[in-house]
Amino acid sequence: MHRNGTAKNQLKEAIHGICRQNLNFTGLFTHHRASDILSTEFYWQRSNFSQIKQEVKEICEQLFLPLPKFHSANSSALFRIKNFDEDFARVGIATYGYLDTDTIFKNPELKPVMSLWAKKIATRVLEKGQRVGYGGVYEAPKNMITSTYDVGY
């Protein structure tokens, strides 16, 4: 998703840093940012992660380190991969019986196992151009009705 982590050209430096800090390198993962849509990006990212796994294996062999566990499959990716060969799958939303993917994919029928209920506490008209939300990040493209619900922590 390109928001955290280590770049491919920093792998060796990162693993050496882990060793210098006497830490255990136990896992390496990515998260498929486009596994739920029909695009070539999913295959590009899988190929890229495969190359990175190979490089990490070579670095670990050179440093006599045990291989880390590899995992990349989120819910959508898990159902797209035919021969899943990683150590873990990180099933997220599918755990709760939901999967939001393009309709072209032949996903299994999942049964929702929970619901979210909330009480509406306010409703108002948001006029075109008005902003709402933390930091005012959403700008209404037209006049619309918005509501606030009693959900939170």
Side-chain angles (χ1 to χ4, degrees):
M1 296 177 70
H2 207 6
R3 45 181 197 201
N4 295 315
T6 303
K8 184 178 178 183
N9 63 352
Q10 298 173 321
L11 283 173
K12 199 169 208 170
E13 178 185 343
I15 294 171
H16 281 275
I18 289 169
C19 293
R20 281 193 302 277
Q21 295 293 321
N22 291 321
L23 299 171
N24 296 321
F25 180 32
T26 60
L28 181 79
F29 73 95
T30 190
H31 187 84
H32 293 289
R33 65 183 180 202
S35 59
D36 55 346
I37 60 173
L38 184 60
S39 79
T40 58
E41 190 167 337
F42 173 68
Y43 298 103
W44 166 83
Q45 192 174 2
R46 275 188 44 110
S47 175
N48 194 35
F49 189 58
S50 182
Q51 292 170 15
I52 289 170
K53 288 191 298 186
Q54 186 56 45
E55 188 173 333
V56 166
K57 288 175 185 178
E58 291 169 8
I59 294 168
C60 287
E61 287 174 8
Q62 292 169 0
L63 298 175
F64 301 102
L65 296 173
L67 292 180
K69 301 294 184 191
F70 297 108
H71 47 108
S72 68
N74 54 6
S75 294
S76 299
L78 186 60
F79 293 115
R80 287 188 66 182
I81 298 171
K82 297 291 183 221
N83 297 311
F84 184 69
D85 65 348
E86 293 181 3
D87 300 299
F88 298 109
R90 293 182 327 278
V91 180
I93 196 167
T95 303
Y96 303 103
Y98 298 93
L99 199 57
D100 185 27
T101 62
D102 281 349
T103 56
I104 195 166
F105 300 123
K106 294 180 180 167
N107 292 321
E109 291 279 330
L110 300 178
K111 180 180 177 184
V113 296
M114 64 183 266
S115 299
L116 176 64
W117 297 85
K119 183 179 179 181
K120 187 188 309 185
I121 57 175
T123 298
R124 60 177 282 206
V125 173
L126 191 62
E127 295 179 10
K128 180 180 179 177
Q130 287 184 317
R131 297 161 52 108
V132 68
Y134 288 107
V137 297
Y138 182 79
E139 184 175 323
K142 61 182 181 181
N143 290 354
M144 56 194 312
I145 296 174
T146 182
S147 296
T148 304
Y149 289 82
D150 186 18
V151 174
Y153 50 87

